Amino acid sequence: MSPHNSQHAVTPNSNTPPRIKFSGVRLSILPVLLLLSLLALSPLAAPGRADALTQDVDGVYLIATPADLREFRDRVNSEELISADARLTADIDLSTDGEPEEWISIGDGHKPTTVQSVGVPNYRGTFDGAGHTVGGYKITKLGSHANGFFGHIGVDGMVTGLTVSGNINIDMPGTTGHRAGGIAGQNVGTISNCVNYGAVASTVGDTGGIAGVNGSNPLTGMISNCVNRGNVTVTQAGGGIVGVNGYYSTTSNCVNDGDVYGSNSAENSGGIAGKNNGGKITNCVNYKTVSGSRYAGGVVGYTIFPTNTTSNCVNYGDVSSYPIDASQIAGGVVGWHEKGTLSNCVSVGGNVTNTKGDGTASAGGVVGTCGKEAKISNCGWLYSQENNKGVGSSDVTPAPEPVSLDQTEINESVVVALIADHMNITLRTGDTAKITLNALPGKQAAFGKYVKNITVPPDSEKISAKVNEEKGEITLTSLKEGTSALCVSADLYTTDFNNSLAPSVDPVPLSLTIYVSARRTLGGITLSPEKMNLRVGASGKFTATVTAEGAADQTINWHSSNEKIAAVDNEGNVKALAVGEATITAMTADGKHDAAAKVTVANRHSGGNGCAAGVGALALFALIPLLLRKKKS
């Protein structure tokens, strides 16, 4: 046997462990095996880690704390949970000592890709906000080319029932091609029943209150039943809801309640969308000012493809365009309507203006400039001496032309859109709340004339729904804990602007979704008083005491089930606003303890004529002789 082979020979029945010789050094294998065994048991050896996130019986990840949210985000961005479903179980504040956290987007798209501008990783699961709010964060650093609470929402991805309040302010002059949005930078999935309260400002690309870009041809996106309440500041395409609505993508049933500002270099800005790139925008409302870009519109700044459709939309805001070095176009509904179809829309804003007087500027109550491949039908605007043209300039005169309106006509006879006053609502089990469908822009008294056949298929297990069709009211009662998406369908007989403002003969079928989150009372808090009765205009105060043993979080957040009836501030002070009932809830900031109390609001006392006081005085005088007689006796 050669010396080399003898080094590796194992002697049977040997009482000593085999030895391995490396470069003349003899090592016992037993200590090595013991060391490897210890390492295998050590956390250092395991590539995994303890899973802090919990799941329900359906495998949905439950997110209750800032740590939970960060872990979920990191595991999505590592592509471990890219398609996982998740649900918030509490409001989350990411700040530390009042300082907002610099947020890294969920689905941050950090890997380079050329596939339809959709970054990898992108989020493809269902994220249910369950009516909760995430705040205490900011985004000031440029991550991938899409930035928001979510960066990229991918195909089959859905975000619903979520409210965010973090501010986005990305200022990197000279950088382009990026997207920013309050909910998501880029969406090729679905965003529904979400609310953004944060300001969104970006110098690096398309920007929107809800999403920077919706869709990426041939991939489509859908945004529906969403509300933006934050101001949007843009240097490229920007809108209150979405910067760019992409090819065959849809933005519907959305409300913008934030100002949209464009810089002198901004191309397009709109109350709903900066640019409609071949998609569909329908049944949307803008309430705020749109200003400052080259093409500015109360609903859409610029429509560019023949497949564009913009329908059943209302603008209430002022619109202005004032760049220095380019032509400027402002329209009450659409700034530059180059191609596509515009129908059943109205602008009731006060002013549509531009400041350039060299002949390159145009402004119109409905459209600033209309291209020869664009169509306009059944649209109108609030007439004034300043806003005296429906179309500012046009390659081809639209037939029929938009109709000028006065304020009385608008109040009494103009209806083109249908929007619920609450698209997201939170109830305690057993609570009742009233949702009002608003036929806009007319007054609610004319509702039954324009809206018919309202149906709400109830969630028989969780929610009951009763419809008052004449008033457009839906009464919801929470039966069981959980979330529900109630689809409200109705036939809208829009105003026919070319037939004496009568309701149209053929209805427009519309559907919108009301997201309801029903929560059970958790306990651990005592409210005083236990209930409250107020009259309209009066005030009261609830005091909350955390009684749960060992409760670490004593911070109380207050919530009203119906702020139109009774509003509550962060100190528990209640203001009665209208007749009805509302439930006031006090919850610890960590979402572990709560209590609820009912507030009943009645009409004010009717004013008296002074007689009641007089009768009381006479009664007292009548008692005087009796008192004197008793004293004498």
Side-chain angles (χ1 to χ4, degrees):
M1 182 179 289
S2 68
H4 176 76
N5 289 334
S6 66
Q7 292 176 8
H8 299 279
V10 177
T11 305
N13 302 318
S14 172
N15 293 324
T16 59
R19 298 177 183 272
I20 302 176
K21 183 177 180 181
F22 296 99
S23 304
V25 179
R26 302 182 72 189
L27 296 174
S28 170
I29 196 170
L30 182 58
V32 175
L33 292 174
L34 289 172
L35 178 61
L36 291 174
S37 299
L38 289 172
L39 286 173
L41 295 173
S42 169
L44 295 175
R49 45 160 162 53
D51 189 352
L53 291 175
T54 59
Q55 293 173 272
D56 66 10
V57 293
D58 297 317
V60 177
Y61 285 91
L62 304 178
I63 299 175
T65 67
D68 290 345
L69 184 58
R70 295 185 193 104
E71 181 182 339
F72 181 78
R73 183 263 322 271
D74 293 344
R75 292 171 69 181
V76 169
N77 291 349
S78 70
E79 300 185 66
E80 177 190 354
L81 299 182
I82 198 168
S83 298
D85 297 338
R87 182 172 65 251
L88 293 182
T89 61
D91 293 342
I92 293 178
D93 183 356
L94 291 164
S95 65
T96 302
D97 297 328
E99 288 296 319
E101 174 180 321
E102 183 71 37
W103 180 248
I104 298 172
S105 303
I106 302 172
D108 65 351
H110 63 270
K111 290 187 175 181
T113 179
T114 58
V115 181
Q116 310 305 333
S117 300
V118 180
V120 176
N122 52 71
Y123 180 64
R124 303 172 196 168
T126 295
F127 190 97
D128 185 356
H132 291 291
T133 299
V134 178
Y137 67 90
K138 63 182 179 180
I139 300 175
T140 62
K141 298 177 181 178
L142 190 62
S144 68
H145 76 282
N147 299 270
F149 183 74
F150 287 84
H152 300 260
I153 299 175
V155 175
D156 297 327
M158 173 181 282
V159 179
T160 186
L162 173 67
T163 297
V164 297
S165 61
N167 293 324
I168 300 174
N169 187 3
I170 302 173
D171 186 9
M172 297 182 66
T175 303
T176 60
H178 296 259
R179 294 87 186 264
I183 299 295
Q186 170 96 41
N187 174 55
V188 294
T190 299
I191 302 173
S192 67
N193 295 90
C194 291
V195 182
N196 172 56
Y197 280 92
V200 183
S202 174
T203 64
V204 298
D206 304 326
T207 307
I210 299 298
V213 174
N214 184 38
S216 181
N217 187 24
L219 303 178
T220 61
M222 177 176 289
I223 300 174
S224 62
N225 310 293
C226 292
V227 179
N228 172 57
R229 300 194 186 280
N231 293 338
V232 177
T233 305
V234 304
T235 58
Q236 292 186 35
I241 300 298
V242 61
V244 176
N245 191 54
Y247 209 69
Y248 290 115
S249 295
T250 299
T251 298
S252 63
N253 309 329
C254 291
V255 174
N256 175 53
D257 197 30
D259 292 328
V260 180
Y261 303 103
S263 71
N264 287 337
S265 61
E267 281 290 308
N268 320 288
S269 59
I272 301 300
K275 183 189 292 186
N276 194 4
N277 264 10
K280 178 180 180 181
I281 297 175
T282 187
N283 201 45
C284 293
V285 178
N286 171 55
Y287 285 107
K288 290 299 182 72
T289 297
V290 179
S291 63
S293 67
R294 184 180 182 186
Y295 310 132
V299 176
V300 183
Y302 182 25
T303 61
I304 191 173
F305 287 109
T307 54
N308 288 318
T309 62
T310 305
S311 63
N312 298 96
C313 293
V314 181
N315 170 52
Y316 286 88
D318 292 345
V319 181
S320 62
S321 176
Y322 48 84
I324 297 172
D325 57 356
S327 62
Q328 59 184 116
I329 298 171
V333 178
V334 177
W336 185 13
H337 183 37
E338 183 179 6
K339 298 176 182 178
T341 300
L342 175 66
S343 63
N344 298 331
C345 291
V346 63
S347 175
V348 296
N351 295 291
V352 180
T353 59
N354 52 53
T355 59
K356 200 168 184 180
D358 62 359
T360 63
S362 62
V366 174
V367 169
T369 295
C370 185
K372 61 183 178 181
E373 296 183 49
K375 298 178 181 179
I376 302 174
S377 65
N378 202 49
C379 293
W381 87 100
L382 176 62
Y383 178 89
S384 68
Q385 288 186 344
E386 295 78 16
N387 300 331
N388 55 22
K389 294 192 296 183
V391 177
S393 64
S394 178
D395 294 337
V396 178
T397 302
E401 293 188 53
V403 175
S404 62
L405 305 162
D406 62 35
Q407 193 63 59
T408 300
E409 290 173 323
I410 290 170
N411 290 343
E412 296 180 358
S413 305
V414 176
V415 170
V416 298
L418 184 67
I419 296 291
D421 63 347
H422 287 83
M423 297 185 194
N424 292 17
I425 189 167
T426 299
L427 299 174
R428 294 289 159 180
T429 50
D431 281 356
T432 296
K434 188 177 293 182
I435 302 291
T436 300
L437 301 178
N438 295 306
L440 301 174
K443 289 187 175 179
Q444 196 69 4
F447 184 90
K449 183 179 178 181
Y450 294 92
V451 184
K452 300 183 184 300
N453 303 322
I454 302 172
T455 59
V456 186
D459 184 333
S460 58
E461 183 182 355
K462 299 176 184 176
I463 299 289
S464 70
K466 295 182 179 180
V467 176
N468 183 328
E469 186 164 295
E470 189 63 27
K471 293 183 178 181
E473 295 175 347
I474 303 171
T475 301
L476 303 176
T477 301
S478 169
L479 305 176
K480 183 179 179 181
E481 182 183 7
T483 60
S484 300
L486 299 181
C487 181
V488 180
S489 299
D491 288 334
L492 179 65
Y493 290 81
T494 59
T495 298
D496 187 340
F497 292 107
N498 299 291
N499 185 24
S500 303
L501 303 183
S504 59
V505 175
D506 298 319
V508 175
L510 292 178
S511 63
L512 49 90
T513 301
I514 298 171
Y515 180 95
V516 184
S517 174
R519 305 172 188 170
R520 62 184 174 87
T521 300
L522 302 172
I525 295 178
T526 299
L527 284 182
S528 178
E530 295 181 353
K531 61 181 179 179
M532 190 177 290
N533 295 303
L534 297 172
R535 294 192 178 273
V536 174
S539 299
K541 181 178 176 63
F542 283 110
T543 300
T545 304
V546 179
T547 57
E549 185 176 349
D553 196 337
Q554 302 281 322
T555 304
I556 299 294
N557 293 328
W558 295 88
H559 171 77
S560 171
S561 66
N562 194 330
E563 293 184 351
K564 290 188 174 182
I565 292 175
V568 62
D569 66 13
N570 56 10
E571 300 296 330
N573 297 302
V574 178
K575 180 73 172 179
L577 302 175
V579 174
E581 291 184 341
T583 299
I584 303 299
T585 302
M587 175 180 283
T588 54
D590 60 10
K592 294 182 178 179
H593 308 287
D594 71 359
K598 184 169 289 186
V599 175
T600 302
V601 181
N603 271 322
R604 293 185 175 92
H605 285 292
S606 58
N609 58 8
C611 294
V615 171
L618 288 172
L620 287 173
F621 280 117
L623 289 173
I624 290 175
L626 294 175
L627 293 172
L628 291 174
R629 186 181 304 170
K630 185 175 181 181
K631 187 175 181 180
K632 287 180 181 180
S633 62

